[in-house]
Amino acid sequence: MNSVCVVLVNYKNKEKTVDCLRALEKSSVQPSCVYIIDNASTEESRQYFWTFTFKFKVRWIWNDENRGFAAACNQGIRAAQEDYAGNFVWLLNNDTLPEANALEKILDKALETGAGITGSLIKNAKGDFAGGVCVIHPKFATVQRVASPEATKFDYVEGSSFLISPECLKKTGLLSEDYFLYFEESDYCMHAKKNGFSLAWATDSIIWHDIGSSTGSEIAKGGVPHFIDCLMIRNRIHFGFRNGYPAVSLIAGLLISLGLRFKRLQFSRIATILVICLSEKAFKKFIEKNGGSYEIRH
């Protein structure tokens, strides 16, 4: 049986992280190690985590700053590759509760299909189907979860349960840190496919996910927090240009998004979105203004 390292990112959600770890303890296949990256770590959060012990090996990585999801995941991936070269790496959101056979089933699917990236079936906190894989609009780069577990066509695996094969990691490398949060998993799947890897979906690997518990990303009708709303739109545009989507369509999609916010009288969002789409320096300031840390890499 191939071994798996689990990577969890915690950001001010320590109780749910422990709940996720307790669920993992019941797993029919135990991970080699769980790497927990604590973004914007405080002495209080460290003391909290240190009061717990777990059945499996846990390695803590403490970040004084909020480095974002992709950068934190990459820290965990690097550590896992150093400690357990050749293992699968399972990126798992900390606000999830994997069922007891979730890891076993997702690994079985990955081995059966030879996929570079494999996802789970996601249920929300109420137990309703909530995706696990998504489709991307071929022109506008907007994303949408598939409608049912019977779906066979999808473009990327959601980052809440994202199993990467050792071969895919070796050839595709790490997640892009251009995004800070959102669209990094879409981007990674695109590049993995360009490198010849397939995607798979293990619908018998069930993950319960308290979606948006840390960010408020699932609030409807204009209620998404300013930071998250602006970030998601900027990242969609960045993803589209980075991956060769039609520029005319991307700009048209951006104008539609801005028009909706104009209708809601969200003028500050319009200004912010325009600025951070046009300038990476402005994007860096935007991240830092909202308590994050971002490094320009170009």
Side-chain angles (χ1 to χ4, degrees):
M1 176 66 73
N2 290 68
S3 297
V4 179
C5 293
V6 179
V7 174
L8 297 178
V9 178
N10 177 69
Y11 177 64
K12 298 182 179 180
N13 212 354
K14 58 185 184 296
E15 291 86 2
K16 287 191 179 294
T17 295
V18 171
D19 289 343
C20 181
L21 292 168
R22 290 297 184 218
L24 274 173
E25 285 188 310
K26 301 173 184 176
S27 178
S28 56
V29 172
Q30 290 290 296
S32 301
C33 183
V34 178
Y35 296 82
I36 303 170
I37 300 85
D38 191 20
N39 268 338
S41 179
T42 64
E43 184 62 29
E44 187 270 338
S45 70
R46 298 181 197 193
Q47 291 292 339
Y48 177 83
F49 283 130
W50 281 333
T51 62
F52 296 95
T53 58
F54 303 96
K55 288 173 59 176
F56 38 67
K57 183 178 179 182
V58 174
R59 179 172 166 185
W60 303 92
I61 299 174
W62 313 105
N63 289 333
D64 293 334
E65 301 173 310
N66 178 14
R67 299 186 60 188
F69 182 73
C73 282
N74 286 342
Q75 288 178 279
I77 292 169
R78 289 190 194 97
Q81 289 180 313
E82 290 173 3
D83 296 341
Y84 299 92
N87 269 24
F88 281 79
V89 172
W90 191 22
L91 306 183
L92 186 66
N93 275 22
N94 68 316
D95 55 355
T96 62
L97 297 173
E99 292 193 352
N101 65 351
L103 176 53
E104 179 181 358
K105 294 298 184 181
I106 196 174
L107 183 57
D108 285 347
K109 189 71 170 183
L111 295 171
E112 172 195 333
T113 60
I117 303 161
T118 308
S120 299
L121 188 147
I122 307 301
K123 292 185 177 182
N124 62 23
K126 296 179 180 179
D128 300 322
F129 171 74
V133 295
C134 299
V135 294
I136 307 173
H137 193 283
K139 292 183 178 179
F140 299 109
T142 52
V143 300
Q144 185 175 11
R145 293 185 178 111
V146 297
S148 77
E150 286 72 43
T152 56
K153 294 183 179 180
F154 50 89
D155 298 310
Y156 75 91
V157 171
E158 290 194 71
S160 50
S161 176
F162 196 88
L163 182 70
I164 314 174
S165 74
E167 296 80 13
C168 185
L169 276 170
K170 184 175 181 180
K171 193 168 183 180
T172 308
L174 300 173
L175 300 173
S176 171
E177 298 179 14
D178 287 359
Y179 299 93
F180 186 77
L181 176 66
Y182 299 120
F183 276 88
E184 60 280 302
E185 80 268 48
S186 317
D187 186 89
Y188 194 84
C189 287
M190 292 288 289
H191 286 269
K193 287 189 287 186
K194 289 176 183 177
N195 285 329
F197 294 98
S198 62
L199 310 180
W201 189 22
T203 55
D204 54 354
S205 170
I206 309 297
I207 303 292
W208 294 66
H209 187 197
D210 191 5
I211 302 171
S213 66
S214 297
T215 64
S217 61
E218 298 294 312
I219 302 173
K221 295 183 180 179
V224 176
H226 180 279
F227 173 63
I228 299 301
D229 190 33
C230 296
L231 183 64
M232 288 194 292
I233 295 175
R234 180 269 179 189
N235 283 356
R236 185 184 82 232
I237 300 303
H238 181 73
F239 166 83
F241 278 109
R242 176 174 155 92
N243 288 284
Y245 285 74
V248 172
S249 299
L250 292 173
I251 293 170
L254 174 60
L255 292 175
I256 292 170
S257 296
L258 296 178
L260 290 171
R261 280 140 192 85
F262 183 86
K263 188 176 180 179
R264 298 173 190 147
L265 305 180
Q266 295 173 322
F267 304 121
S268 64
R269 297 193 184 199
I270 294 171
T272 299
I273 291 164
L274 286 171
V275 169
I276 64 177
C277 282
L278 292 170
S279 166
E280 191 172 14
K281 288 184 179 179
F283 183 63
K284 174 180 171 66
K285 290 181 181 178
F286 170 71
I287 295 296
E288 292 172 348
K289 181 181 178 181
N290 287 277
S293 174
Y294 182 81
E295 179 183 346
I296 294 177
R297 298 165 187 83
H298 308 293

